[in-house]
Amino acid sequence: MTVKNNHNTASAGRFGTFTGVFTPNILTILGIILFLRVGWVVGQAGLWGALGIVLLANLISFLTGLSLSAIATSMDVRAGGNYYLISRSLGLEVGGAIGIPLYLSQAISIAFYIIGFTEALLAIEFFQQVDPRLIATAVALLFALIAYVGADFALRIQFFILAVLVVALVSFFAGGWDSFGTATIASNYTFGNNFWTVFAVFFPAVTGIEVGISLSGDLKDPSKSIPRGTITSIVVTAVIYIIAVIWFATHLTADELINNNLAMQSVALVPGLILAGVWASTLSSALGSVLAAPRTLQAIAQDRVLPVWMAGKMGSQTEPRVAVLLSAAIAIIVIWLGDLDFVAPIISMFFLNTYGMVNLVASIENLVGNPSYRPQFKIPWYVSMLGAIGCYGAMFLISPVATIIAIVITYGVFFALERRQVRRTWGDVQIGIWIAIARCALLQMETERPTPKNWRPNLIVFTGQPHNREQLVAVADWLSRGRGIVTFFQLIIGDVEKLVGKNLRTTARKQIRNYIQDHGMTAFAEAEVVSDFKQGALTLVQAHGIGNLTSNSILMGWSRTEAGRVMQLELMRQLVALRKSVLFLNYDDSRGFGQKRIINIWWQGRGGNADLKLLLAYLIQRHGDWFQSEIRLLRIIDGKEGVAQTKAHLDEMLDDVRVEAEPVVIVRDDPQQSIPQVIKDNNLDADLTILGMKLPTIDEIDSYSRRLDELVRAVGTVLVVRKAALEEDLLTTGGE
C-alpha cells in the first residue's frame, strides 16, 4: 500500500502565533500542578531543591522546544503536529509507533483533566449531590460539541479561560506582601520521597507544548508560529513557576505546604479566585487536549496508518469531526472506568517518548547532514541530543515500570506497521542515516587492508533473470549465508544506443529486484547493456564496488557449447589476474543437488585451490539446507604404499584449517585408468562435487576445456573453482 503526502491544507491559515500556539501552550502548562502541587514540591524539596526541579524540568522542555523549532523551520509543516514531524523525518513506521500512543494519551488526557475539574467542583455543596461521573460526562460532551463546532469557537473560549487564570495568579502574587516569613530553604522529604520522586510529580506540568504543535495544520505560518509560540510559552511559564516557588517558600512553612493542597489560598489576596483558577486550569488543559487529539488522529488516518474514515470531516471544511467523536467516546469510556492511577504514568511516558523522539530527529538530521535539511532555526546536534537524554532519563526516573510498558507498546506498533509494509511517497532521514553509516564504513575500509581473516564471499552472479537459473541463485544463497554480499547480474547483449532507449536495463533490474523480494533474499540487482558478453563482464567486474568493498568471486553457469567454454576459460584467466576467484556451476538436471547430504571435494595436491574448495564446502554446509551433510576430502594416488602417508597429510591439513571432513584416499589400481573415470566411479553418492581448475595457458585452453567438460559431465552437479592469487591461504588465519 502506497501513502501519498496528501494532508489536506484547506484549513490552513486560520490562526497566528498568539492564538494558535502561545495561548494553548500557556493554558496547558499553567495547569492543575501549578495550583495544587507546586506548594507541595516546595515543602518537600525546599526552596533550592524546588528551584532545581523547576529549572531542570524547564531545561528539558526548552531543549525540546529548540529541537521542535529547528525541524519545523526545515519543512512544510502540515496537520498532525509532532506525528507529522517525526513521520516525515524517521519514516511512517516510527511516526505511527509514536503517533498512535500519543493520540491515545491525548484522548485519555481529556478525561483526566475533566475528572480533575469535577473533583475541584465538588468543593461546592450543590455538586456533591450528583454522581461525579455524570458531571464529567456532561463536561466531556460539552467540550466535544465545542470542538465539533470548530477550533475557531474553541480558541475564542480559551481567552476567557486565560483571563480567569491571569486573575487567579494576580490574586496569588498580590497577597502576602505584608507577611514574609523565614524562607523554607531546607528539604523536608516525607517517607518514600526524594528529589526524583518530587521531580516526577512536577515534570508533567512542562509537557504542555504538545498542544500548540498539534494545531500545526491550522496555523497561518507554522514555520514561524511554532518556534516563536513554543519558545516564548516555555520561557514565560518557566518564569511564572520560578516566582511561584519563591513566593511559596517565603510565605508558608514546610508543613503547611505539604499538608494543604490549596496552600495558594492562604497567600492569595482573594482566596476564592484560586478555586476559580483551579477550575480554569483543568478546563484549559482539557480544551487543549480536545483540540489536539482529533488532529493527531486525523493526520495518522490520512497516512492510512489507521483506517482513513477516521479522518472524515462529516461536511465540515476544516474540522476532523469523526476524530472529535472518537476522542470524546474514548474520554467518556475512561471517565466511567474509575481507577486511573495505573494508566496515568504510562500516559506521561508516551508524551515524554514523543518529546524524546523530536529531539532525536533534530539531532539525527544534523548529524546525517542531508542537503534537504536546511532549518532557519539552527541549533547544534548535541543540544538536541542532550534534550533526548533528558527526556528518556526523566522517563526512567518518573516510573521505570511505566517506561518499560510504554516502550513495549511503541515497539509493538512499530513492528505491526513494518509488517504491513506501508509505502510513502515522501522521503525521510532513514536513507540518510544509512548513507552516513555506509560512508563512514567505506572510508574506514579504505584505510584498512583487506585480510584473509575477514574474507567472505562478495559474489557477482551472472544469472540473467534469476528465475531462469535458480540453481545459481541457490548456490549464491548457500555461500553468502546472510553474511556475504551477492549481486545478481544480467548482461543484455546488443547495441547500447539502440537498447538503452527501450528501458530494457531498468526493466531487467526491476524484475531481478522483484525476484529477490519475492524469495526473501538479501541480494542486489544489476543489469547492464553491453556489446559483447566477455568484454562486458570483464569491464563491470572491474567497475563493480566502491573502494575496498569490491567483488572477490564470480559465479556463472558452465557453458553447454564448446565455444562458450573456451570463452569462459579465457575470461577466467583474466579474472584471476584481477584477483577474482572464479566458480563455474555445472548442474546435472537428472541428479540436481540430490538429498543435500554429501559434499565431495577432489584434491590432487596441487593447483592452490584446496583452501578455497574447503572454505566453500564449509560455508555451504553451514546453510540450513545442508545442515545434516558431511564433507569428504578425496585424493587419488597410485599404489597402496602411499595410503597411510597421504591420509596423515589430509588429516593434518584438515586440523590446520579447522574444517570437519572425512579424508578419503583412493588407490588407482590401473595407471592407465583416466582420472575422470576414477572420479566418476567413486562419486556416485555425492550430492555436490567441488573440483579445482588449473590456470591453462592460451595454447592449452581448447584442449583443457574439452578435458574439463568431460570431467564435469561425469560426476553429477559440480562446482569448479579457481582461486584468485592471494598472498595467504583463506583458512589458516582464523576466519570462516
Side-chain angles (χ1 to χ4, degrees), residues 715-728:
V715 294
T717 299
V718 58
L719 191 63
V720 191
V721 306
R722 176 66 208 185
K723 175 186 169 185
L726 297 177
E727 296 180 2
E728 301 177 61

Side-chain angles (χ1 to χ4, degrees), residues 31-256:
I32 196 70
I33 289 177
L34 172 63
F35 287 93
L36 299 184
R37 302 306 281 170
V38 170
W40 179 87
V41 169
V42 175
Q44 294 281 349
L47 175 61
W48 300 120
L51 286 175
I53 288 170
V54 171
L55 290 173
L56 179 59
N58 276 280
L59 175 62
I60 295 172
S61 178
F62 183 72
L63 294 176
T64 303
L66 294 178
S67 298
L68 193 154
S69 300
I71 301 170
T73 58
S74 183
M75 65 171 67
D76 179 19
V77 182
R78 300 183 185 179
N82 279 323
Y83 162 75
Y84 185 88
L85 299 182
I86 294 170
S87 64
R88 268 52 181 181
S89 295
L90 293 183
L92 206 57
E93 295 83 2
V94 176
I98 298 296
I100 292 174
L102 172 64
Y103 162 69
L104 291 174
S105 300
Q106 291 173 329
I108 295 172
S109 294
I110 299 171
F112 274 97
Y113 294 133
I114 291 175
I115 290 171
F117 167 76
T118 304
E119 291 178 353
L121 199 63
L122 293 178
I124 300 176
E125 185 176 351
F126 172 78
F127 291 104
Q128 295 174 1
Q129 305 173 29
V130 184
D131 188 335
R133 292 176 297 183
L134 291 175
I135 300 174
T137 301
V139 175
L141 291 173
L142 175 62
F143 272 41
L145 178 61
I146 292 172
Y148 190 90
V149 170
D152 305 77
F153 181 47
L155 292 179
R156 282 197 292 270
I157 294 175
Q158 75 175 355
F159 292 120
F160 170 74
I161 297 175
L162 178 62
V164 176
L165 275 176
V166 170
V167 170
L169 288 174
V170 168
S171 174
F172 173 59
F173 293 120
W177 285 93
D178 57 350
S179 59
F180 284 96
T182 304
T184 305
I185 302 294
S187 60
N188 298 274
Y189 295 115
T190 55
F191 180 76
N193 286 311
N194 54 45
F195 180 89
W196 294 114
T197 60
V198 176
F199 175 85
V201 171
F202 176 79
F203 189 82
V206 301
T207 60
I209 58 174
E210 174 64 34
V211 176
I213 182 66
S214 295
L215 295 172
S216 56
D218 299 284
L219 300 175
K220 295 177 182 177
D221 190 348
S223 296
K224 290 184 178 179
S225 294
I226 290 173
R228 293 174 181 175
T230 301
I231 299 301
T232 306
S233 63
I234 292 171
V235 172
V236 169
T237 54
V239 170
I240 292 173
Y241 272 109
I242 289 171
I243 297 174
V245 165
I246 296 172
W247 212 244
F248 274 121
T250 55
H251 286 84
L252 298 172
T253 66
D255 287 340
E256 291 173 324

Side-chain angles (χ1 to χ4, degrees), residues 42 80 212 411 569 606 715:
V42 175
Y411 272 95
L569 292 182
R606 59 184 182 276
V715 294

Side-chain angles (χ1 to χ4, degrees), residues 485-543:
I485 301 174
V486 176
T487 305
F488 295 136
F489 257 101
Q490 178 176 2
L491 295 187
I492 304 170
I493 311 299
D495 188 300
V496 174
E497 293 183 0
K498 293 180 180 179
L499 294 180
V500 167
K502 296 180 179 180
N503 288 324
L504 292 180
R505 180 172 176 263
T506 302
T507 302
R509 184 183 294 173
K510 182 178 180 181
Q511 290 172 341
I512 298 173
R513 189 173 291 116
N514 289 340
Y515 179 93
I516 292 169
Q517 293 175 348
D518 291 344
H519 289 76
M521 302 183 67
T522 53
F524 296 96
E526 284 293 346
E528 302 293 345
V529 178
V530 297
S531 57
D532 171 75
F533 180 89
K534 178 183 172 184
Q535 191 57 47
L538 193 63
T539 301
L540 75 87
V541 164
Q542 295 178 78

Side-chain angles (χ1 to χ4, degrees), residues 581 600-618 631-635 649-650 653-654 657-659 661 690-694 721-724 728-732 736:
S581 295
N600 277 357
I601 302 172
W602 290 90
W603 181 54
Q604 287 303 95
R606 59 184 182 276
N609 294 311
D611 59 328
L612 178 59
K613 290 188 287 187
L614 282 166
L615 177 57
L616 296 178
Y618 170 75
I631 301 172
R632 298 193 303 197
L633 180 61
L634 304 98
R635 183 171 180 185
H649 176 64
L650 295 177
M653 183 174 68
L654 290 171
V657 301
R658 301 180 304 284
V659 172
I690 301 179
L691 301 174
M693 288 183 289
K694 76 170 189 177
V721 306
R722 176 66 208 185
K723 175 186 169 185
E728 301 177 61
D729 284 346
L730 298 174
L731 278 170
T732 57
E736 284 190 345

